[in-house]
Amino acid sequence: MGREGLRRWYNAVMDRNDETHPAKGRLNTGVLTAFGCYTLWGFFPLYWKLLSGVNQYEVVAQRIIWCFAFTAIVCAVVRADFWKLLKEPRARRFLIPASILITANWSIYIVAVATGHVLETSIGYYLNPLVSIVLGMICFRERLTPLQWIAVALCTAGILFFTLGYGSFPAIAISLALSFGVYGAVKKQGGYPALEAIAVESAVMTPFAIIFAVGLAFFTGTHGFLGDVTSLEGWKTTALLVGGGAVTAIPLILFAKAANTIPLTLLGFIQYLSPTIALLIGVFAFGEPFTTAHAVCFGCIWCGLALVAVDSLMRSRKSA
């Protein structure tokens, strides 16, 4: 394609030349990118499970390093100056906390997948829209409608039942929902372009990730990135770790495109594709048990999400 062709494609995908795109065409592209983003996120457990033989924290470190490498290369190709953003004091106030939050979210997620808790990650991402509603009330002084209050109560009841019935508090689900919800709130307040922001977030954490990866290899004597270079399995592991950068960055870029193009109510419906795929993978691919506690918890969350969806549709029609 060449550098110029890639830059033109990126500008088109990110709607940087909006005047040349009819509204209907942008909507269709936005829907396709939303489906692409949430489908990729839904299948994430299959990718990270391939790295189950590598230390989970090294996977996180390599994910940060190669995410930065990938986004820096794309920024260079499309002439997006993320270094300018990194030097801006206001940007650092938002993007440094965002980088810490998303690193925590990635760490929890990868450890959860590696230790056989894919169902709990699904609960976490089903909860995420409701966490966003509560954060909107706390941080942005948004008022909850009666249906939203009922939805929050239903999800709380589901979590309580799961805790009592399953015998353990769903810490992974709550941590994922809170970390990603707060990350979204911080990003919303910052309001910076997706590609440049992701590059800055990964750039902030990359020095720490490199130090951690080198220290882990030195003290444990093992590392996945430069493992057994004489075997096909060793090269496969290295390729998967490097590919984790693109796997991480591409859905985030697609998400930014979708969020800027289609109505949030429509994006909200498509959002549930990701945890649904993860739920099916957890049960049918990895054989995780789906207990009564899981069923009641998911049922309460789904009912709550249905109420939120109905409420959003009612308000959008009223506004129209």
Side-chain angles (χ1 to χ4, degrees):
M1 181 185 286
R3 175 170 174 163
E4 190 62 31
L6 183 59
R7 187 160 61 86
R8 257 191 254 112
W9 171 83
Y10 173 78
N11 288 336
V13 167
M14 296 306 291
D15 274 350
R16 293 198 170 188
N17 300 315
D18 283 348
E19 68 277 2
T20 65
H21 292 76
K24 185 177 179 181
R26 288 200 306 273
L27 178 64
N28 291 339
T29 305
V31 170
L32 287 174
T33 52
F35 269 101
C37 161
Y38 286 112
T39 300
L40 288 172
W41 272 337
F43 282 103
F44 259 20
L46 293 175
Y47 188 92
W48 300 117
K49 199 74 170 178
L50 294 172
L51 289 164
S52 57
V54 180
N55 183 291
Q56 300 148 14
Y57 300 103
E58 184 190 351
V59 174
V60 176
Q62 296 288 349
R63 185 179 184 183
I64 294 166
I65 294 165
W66 295 107
C67 180
F68 170 64
F70 178 82
T71 50
I73 291 169
V74 175
C75 281
V77 170
V78 303
R79 297 175 189 171
D81 188 3
F82 73 92
W83 290 112
K84 182 179 178 181
L85 199 61
L86 187 58
K87 295 173 186 175
E88 187 184 317
R90 181 185 180 274
R92 289 199 300 270
R93 282 204 308 271
F94 287 101
L95 296 179
I96 289 177
S99 69
I100 295 169
L101 286 164
I102 199 63
T103 300
N105 184 270
W106 291 350
S107 303
I108 296 164
Y109 182 84
I110 287 174
V111 171
V113 171
T115 54
H117 292 89
V118 174
L119 284 186
E120 233 183 293
T121 69
S122 180
I123 292 175
Y125 289 117
Y126 273 123
L127 281 173
N128 190 63
L130 295 160
V131 169
S132 297
I133 288 172
V134 174
L135 287 172
M137 180 182 66
I138 296 170
C139 301
F140 303 106
R141 297 182 180 179
E142 298 173 0
R143 292 185 177 181
L144 296 189
T145 66
L147 284 179
Q148 287 175 337
W149 276 114
I150 295 171
V152 171
L154 275 170
C155 289
T156 303
I159 294 296
L160 287 174
F161 185 89
F162 183 89
T163 302
L164 296 172
Y166 196 64
S168 64
F169 181 72
I172 292 172
I174 300 297
S175 300
L176 284 172
L178 284 175
S179 58
F180 199 78
V182 176
Y183 170 76
V186 171
K187 296 272 282 187
K188 180 180 174 66
Q189 281 199 318
Y192 293 103
L195 177 62
E196 292 91 322
I198 296 163
V200 169
E201 289 165 20
S202 52
V204 167
M205 299 304 294
T206 292
F208 301 102
I210 292 172
I211 292 169
F212 180 84
V214 171
L216 187 69
F218 179 78
F219 286 109
T220 64
T222 59
H223 46 87
F225 178 63
L226 291 175
D228 185 4
V229 294
T230 62
S231 72
L232 183 61
E233 192 64 29
W235 283 107
K236 175 187 166 185
T237 300
T238 301
L240 286 169
L241 288 169
V242 173
V247 166
T248 297
I250 289 171
L252 287 171
I253 295 170
L254 292 176
F255 172 78
K257 155 68 181 175
N260 291 332
T261 309
I262 65 177
L264 288 179
T265 49
L266 180 56
L267 186 63
F269 282 117
I270 301 172
Q271 178 175 339
Y272 305 130
L273 177 65
S274 173
T276 301
I277 293 172
L279 168 64
L280 295 173
I281 288 173
V283 174
F284 295 107
F286 299 151
E288 293 186 20
F290 191 78
T291 65
T292 303
H294 282 103
V296 172
C297 184
F298 274 111
C300 288
I301 291 171
W302 285 332
C303 288
L305 293 176
L307 289 174
V308 170
V310 169
D311 181 72
S312 298
L313 283 174
M314 288 170 60
R315 284 188 292 144
S316 63
R317 286 181 180 178
K318 189 176 179 181
S319 298

